[in-house]
Amino acid sequence: MSRSTADSASSVPLPTPKERRRLREALALSEEEVAEAMGVTRATVRSWETGRSAPRGRKREAYAKLLGTPGPTDLVRPEAEPPAEPRAQAQEHSQQPQPQPQPQASAAAAGNVRPRAAVKRAAKPPRAPSPAPAISPGPARKGPSKPPERLRPVAAEAPAEPAAPAEPAAPAGPAQPPALTPEEAFDALYAYAAPGLVHQTYLLTGRRRLSREAVEYAFHHAWQRWPEVAVDADPVGWVRATAYEYALSPWHRFRRAHRHPDAPPTEANRRALLGALLELPPSYRRTVLLYDGLGLDLPETAAETEASTPAAANRLLHARAVLGRRIPELAEPEALHRCLSALVAEAPTATLLPARAVRAGSERRTRGWTRAVLGVTAALIVVTGFTAATAPTRYIPVNAPGEAVDGVPVRGGPQKLSPEDLELRDKLRAEPNPGPERLVPAVG
């Protein structure tokens, strides 16, 4: 494969990780089937859908065709616009039902998949999606939020000047907003999302100090990875997921400041709902807050909690059942969604650090960790060099000097022979006669 082909394959646009998961479920494909068609493992497909990694080269092009996204050749626009009649014929032709290509066949045509497995799967009918637990239809889910559009500053409209009478004014295109610097974009994201995230994290943990700490931690990491967060389709969701994971970490129970929740609110309804939420397991609490509080749909909730869609549905049903038993007024899904939405939409009252201080703290923490790593590395190099310089080149045995030991018992075995015994032994050994007369004592 030439370099130009590799560059075009690596530049194939892919949808966001959440959209990849949604497209796969819309095609009624499981992770094992996608892994078999792409020639990778199931863990690799899961990392693609969670955003931890992305395919490259020909696998990227094959994965884009499998999901049905346009390839690099599909993004080229024609220079000239077709005439009206062929366009009308094309529209009539597009209205006719066209057979939908199988995703497995398109993946096999990409050239980097297993052809035998792709042919076998293309011959089989698509498997029906795994039945998820039935969720009672609540109020209509609102579409995914688009914070980047909200964060763009609106360009001031200049007063229209009268056109010259001789030449008609050319139609002006849409006004482009001025480009923001990374610092301005981060400050806008922080001002827009931080207060609400602190309030949401407080609903998850019941601890105000921990909620502020979690949001500051999330924005510290967002500024460290700002090139990645700036191009993300949902930067608020990126920061929200980081803040939720930090706030729900089980290690905070060993810290004395966060061992017990804060005092409950004075209102009876809010106190009962917050107490019922805190009794749920962390994963169930997070699922019901995302779905019924923020209005995310089920696939987005499952993707953000890193769970499958059926697992997220089961958690939601269990959380609704527990909240309905604790608070009978919220037994209906509509009532629970209305109450949680109103609770999330409350005006936050927490006082936060300015965005500039958060950015400075993130940079200071990065410098501190960098210096610590460099210091530890330098210390290891010094210790290793000192050990190599002072270590002996050969083994020198240690001979301990002899010492008198008292209290040792008498050595066992036969006693030492006296001179008479030695003489008798020599005489017996020297006599050649081995008979009985040998034992007769000699008379002097």
Side-chain angles (χ1 to χ4, degrees):
M1 183 173 60
S2 62
R3 180 175 296 180
S4 60
T5 307
D7 294 342
S8 62
S10 59
S11 62
V12 174
L14 287 178
T16 60
K18 295 180 182 179
E19 186 67 15
R20 298 171 198 171
R21 183 190 183 112
R22 189 192 66 79
L23 290 174
R24 175 181 61 79
E25 293 180 350
L27 294 174
L29 297 175
S30 62
E31 295 179 353
E32 294 84 355
E33 294 172 348
V34 175
E36 180 182 357
M38 295 297 301
V40 296
T41 60
R42 179 183 177 186
T44 303
V45 176
R46 181 171 297 178
S47 65
W48 292 350
E49 294 183 353
T50 54
R52 293 193 180 99
S53 63
R56 298 180 180 179
R58 300 187 66 182
K59 287 189 181 296
R60 184 183 185 93
E61 185 178 358
Y63 188 54
K65 289 185 178 181
L66 178 64
L67 297 179
T69 55
T73 58
D74 301 333
L75 299 178
V76 179
R77 296 183 178 178
E79 296 181 359
E81 190 175 7
E85 294 182 1
R87 188 190 308 171
Q89 295 177 3
Q91 292 180 356
E92 294 177 0
H93 179 70
S94 62
Q95 293 177 359
Q96 297 178 1
Q98 299 291 337
Q100 298 293 335
Q102 294 292 337
Q104 294 82 4
S106 62
N112 197 25
V113 295
R114 299 177 182 175
R116 184 175 301 175
V119 170
K120 289 182 181 180
R121 292 189 32 75
K124 297 180 182 180
R127 194 179 68 175
S130 56
I135 303 294
S136 56
R141 302 283 104 187
K142 63 181 181 180
S145 60
K146 297 182 179 180
E149 281 76 4
R150 299 181 183 178
L151 299 179
R152 291 179 181 174
V154 180
E157 297 181 358
E161 297 181 359
E167 298 180 359
Q176 297 294 335
L180 297 178
T181 62
E183 292 78 8
E184 293 174 351
F186 177 84
D187 295 350
L189 177 64
Y190 182 81
Y192 170 74
L197 288 179
V198 171
H199 184 61
Q200 297 167 24
T201 312
Y202 168 70
L203 297 179
L204 283 178
T205 60
R207 297 165 175 85
R208 295 179 177 86
R209 183 177 176 183
L210 178 59
S211 62
R212 292 192 296 269
E213 181 181 336
V215 173
E216 291 178 5
Y217 172 85
F219 275 98
H220 283 171
H221 277 255
W223 181 243
Q224 293 175 5
R225 298 168 175 82
W226 184 247
E228 173 189 350
V229 179
V231 299
D232 194 271
D234 186 13
V236 178
W238 194 98
V239 180
R240 179 177 61 232
T242 306
Y244 284 7
E245 291 177 0
Y246 180 85
L248 296 177
S249 175
W251 297 105
H252 295 307
R253 69 183 65 178
F254 299 106
R255 303 173 59 183
R256 181 177 301 178
H258 306 317
R259 190 171 299 174
H260 303 287
D262 297 343
T266 56
E267 297 83 352
N269 296 334
R270 296 181 72 251
R271 183 171 63 251
L273 181 56
L274 186 59
L277 281 175
L278 294 180
E279 289 183 359
L280 293 172
S283 58
Y284 293 75
R285 198 186 316 160
R286 183 176 179 180
T287 300
V288 72
L289 182 64
L290 290 174
Y291 187 83
D292 283 326
L294 298 180
L296 302 182
D297 57 4
L298 200 57
E300 290 183 349
T301 303
E304 185 161 333
T305 56
E306 296 186 359
S308 62
T309 304
N314 288 328
R315 292 175 182 177
L316 181 61
L317 291 176
H318 177 78
R320 284 179 172 178
V322 172
L323 294 177
R325 287 195 299 267
R326 286 291 308 272
I327 308 174
E329 294 82 3
L330 303 180
E332 295 296 329
E334 294 82 359
L336 179 60
H337 171 69
R338 187 166 52 252
C339 185
L340 277 179
S341 299
L343 191 62
V344 170
E346 289 181 355
T349 58
T351 57
L352 300 175
L353 294 176
R356 183 176 180 180
V358 174
R359 285 191 284 106
S362 177
E363 296 171 356
R364 185 167 54 252
R365 176 177 295 184
T366 304
R367 288 194 300 267
W369 279 108
T370 304
R371 292 171 182 172
V373 171
L374 292 178
V376 172
T377 305
L380 289 177
I381 293 175
V382 171
V383 170
T384 304
F386 179 77
T387 304
T390 58
T393 57
R394 60 188 181 86
Y395 176 71
I396 302 175
V398 179
N399 296 325
E403 296 181 1
V405 180
D406 298 334
V408 179
V410 180
R411 184 177 180 182
Q415 299 294 329
K416 187 176 182 180
L417 299 177
S418 62
E420 292 80 5
D421 296 335
L422 292 176
E423 183 181 358
L424 178 60
R425 187 187 63 178
D426 295 339
K427 183 179 180 180
L428 291 175
R429 290 179 178 177
E431 290 293 337
N433 191 356
E437 58 273 11
R438 175 183 179 185
L439 302 178
V440 178
V443 178

